[in-house]
Amino acid sequence: MNSAPLIQFHDVSREYVNGEVVTPALRGVTFQIDAGEFVAIMGPSGSGKSTLMNIMGFLDTLSGGVYQFEGRDVSMLEQDQLSLMRKEKVGFIFQAFNLLAKSTVLQNVLLPTVYGRLSRQERVDRAKEAIAQVSMEHRAGYKCSQLSGGEKQRVAIARALVNDPSIIFADEPTGNLDSKTGTQILEILAHLNEAGRTVVMVTHETEAAKYASRILRVRDGLLESDTTNGALRRGEYYK
């Protein structure tokens, strides 16, 4: 059995080069995340927290250091291997939902399964199961343009779940929602974590971060602190 951390960063740096201008986004970050954790990443705008998530989720590459995912050195992987890891190992939830407005809920949730090896019926069954996990069965045939913001984010969560990923990344998942609807989304993420899912959430909202069991604070491309958090049990938010 592989006992390695799910994610391990060692002295990871990321620089963006534009002509002669070099902008450091991460400057030697070291931490690890174990399977089953709920981790919030916090920091001011421009601190490097989104860069951190993009590297963890195989959307960006590191400039230096070592990133291991499930014990594999990510820097040694080819682009097609990274693409496969992105497809099979991670699920993303974005602030802007990133759904196809004219497609139905079911069609949107099916999208990540298109290039897999499952039969059409297996894909549909899996999508329906993911939709049920976020209590959106009654909207499966609705176009996403017909949904509220909270419903759209539920669909985005179902889409993130459909390929049974090792980890879910949520980038400001409540940023476009009112507090009540945001609470419902955080409750779903907490429930998924309690069921064994690993969740990493970028947020600037202190109240949202209370759902995480651990908080990484990033500032100026450095890991400022790594603290254990007394995570709220579901149903306690905003009480």
Side-chain angles (χ1 to χ4, degrees), residues 191-209:
H191 177 75
L192 291 170
N193 177 246
E194 288 172 5
R197 296 278 180 183
T198 308
V199 180
V200 174
M201 174 177 66
V202 164
T203 183
H204 66 276
E205 299 173 4
T206 303
E207 291 299 319

Side-chain angles (χ1 to χ4, degrees), residues 58 78-89:
F58 316 112
E78 302 291 338
Q79 280 301 319
D80 59 339
Q81 293 175 302
L82 287 172
S83 178
L84 188 64
M85 293 276 276
R86 227 176 4 249
K87 175 180 172 296
E88 295 183 347
K89 297 293 186 178

Side-chain angles (χ1 to χ4, degrees), residues 183-234:
T183 299
Q184 295 169 350
I185 295 304
L186 290 164
E187 295 277 355
I188 291 172
L189 293 177
H191 177 75
L192 291 170
N193 177 246
E194 288 172 5
R197 296 278 180 183
T198 308
V199 180
V200 174
M201 174 177 66
V202 164
T203 183
H204 66 276
E205 299 173 4
T206 303
E207 291 299 319
K210 287 181 179 178
Y211 263 112
S213 54
R214 183 173 160 211
I215 300 176
L216 303 180
R217 297 185 185 273
V218 184
R219 183 179 294 273
D220 298 327
L222 297 168
L223 184 60
E224 187 176 55
S225 64
D226 179 352
T227 57
T228 301
N229 189 37
L232 294 177
R233 293 188 301 275
R234 288 188 297 122

